[in-house]
Amino acid sequence: MITIEDFANVELKTGRVLEAQRVEKAKKLIVLKVDTGEERQIVAGIGKAYAPEELIGKTIVVVTNMQPAKLMGVESHGMLLAASDDEGNLSIITPEREIKQGSKVN
Amino acid sequence: MITIEDFANVELKTGRVLEAQRVEKAKKLIVLKVDTGEERQIVAGIGKAYAPEELIGKTIVVVTNMQPAKLMGVESHGMLLAASDDEGNLSIITPEREIKQGSKVN
């Protein structure tokens, strides 16, 4: 169990996908340029479920205060949220209504 | 900044809204019965942006391992995620594609 204070340490924001392309030699990985109020690059393991081009222009939800990491040599400054079930389906998470990029999610 | 391990402590799941009604004397609060793989009751502060009836049947994202809390005397076993901007707009967060309730979000 976590407290509301624990959860408040996680910074979640909406982000608009500006660019997306596959990471070389990594079928599962897509590198995204995202506007979450500021531009950032993130790497997401959604390449089996999504083609890069269908992500462009979409609004996603990003953990924006995650420690930077390198995936297959590519820097990631945040984590995209996606839902996945035990049958291998995967879906990005998106606001139901139009809302500004960089909006806080909580 | 948080680590991937910090974030892994937060359990997020998709949930299907089964029932929704306003909390008496609390204009902002809606009490929801949600199927996140198991049925649970949560209270969400989205009553200014959403009517209860428009939530029924929708898939939302819920923090499922939040310590239970009481809001205006009503028990809440989880937290609904919503995006809000500085102009007072609010939107629930939902999977872009059809996916089973109780799917893990990460």
Side-chain angles (χ1 to χ4, degrees):
Chain A
M1 286 282 174
I2 61 168
T3 65
I4 198 149
E5 291 77 20
D6 293 332
F7 185 69
N9 290 329
V10 180
E11 187 180 76
L12 290 172
K13 288 186 184 173
T14 62
R16 172 106 21 177
V17 178
L18 305 174
E19 296 174 19
Q21 56 188 85
R22 291 195 184 278
V23 173
E24 256 185 77
K25 294 180 190 166
K27 281 192 185 169
K28 273 186 63 175
L29 297 183
I30 294 180
V31 53
L32 305 155
K33 190 177 283 179
V34 184
D35 179 356
T36 56
E38 56 184 22
E39 267 185 41
R40 64 175 67 228
Q41 173 173 298
I42 67 175
V43 179
I46 59 173
K48 283 192 179 173
Y50 284 90
E53 54 272 20
E54 66 182 313
L55 293 164
I56 294 166
K58 288 199 169 149
T59 299
I60 59 174
V61 177
V62 179
V63 185
T64 50
N65 68 333
M66 192 80 97
Q67 277 180 359
K70 270 198 182 181
L71 289 91
M72 295 288 286
V74 184
E75 280 216 20
S76 184
H77 294 268
M79 178 180 158
L80 170 150
L81 290 194
S84 51
D85 67 19
D86 47 19
E87 291 159 14
N89 300 306
L90 184 145
S91 173
I92 60 169
I93 299 293
T94 191
E96 187 206 24
R97 297 178 179 169
E98 194 75 27
I99 200 154
K100 208 162 64 179
Q101 61 268 45
S103 293
K104 244 181 113 52
V105 176
N106 55 19
Chain B
M1 285 284 174
I2 62 169
T3 64
I4 197 149
E5 290 77 20
D6 293 332
F7 185 69
N9 290 328
V10 180
E11 187 180 77
L12 291 171
K13 289 186 183 173
T14 62
R16 171 109 17 178
V17 178
L18 305 174
E19 296 175 18
Q21 56 188 85
R22 290 194 184 279
V23 173
E24 255 185 76
K25 293 180 190 165
K27 281 193 184 167
K28 273 187 64 175
L29 298 184
I30 294 181
V31 53
L32 305 154
K33 190 178 285 181
V34 184
D35 179 356
T36 56
E38 56 183 23
E39 266 185 42
R40 64 175 68 228
Q41 173 172 298
I42 66 175
V43 179
I46 60 172
K48 282 191 178 172
Y50 284 90
E53 53 272 20
E54 66 183 312
L55 293 164
I56 294 166
K58 288 200 168 147
T59 299
I60 60 174
V61 177
V62 179
V63 184
T64 49
N65 67 334
M66 191 80 98
Q67 277 179 1
K70 270 196 181 181
L71 289 91
M72 294 289 283
V74 184
E75 281 215 21
S76 185
H77 294 267
M79 179 180 158
L80 170 149
L81 289 194
S84 51
D85 67 20
D86 48 18
E87 291 160 14
N89 300 305
L90 185 145
S91 174
I92 61 170
I93 298 293
T94 191
E96 188 207 20
R97 297 178 179 171
E98 194 74 29
I99 199 154
K100 209 162 63 179
Q101 63 268 42
S103 293
K104 245 181 112 53
V105 177
N106 54 20

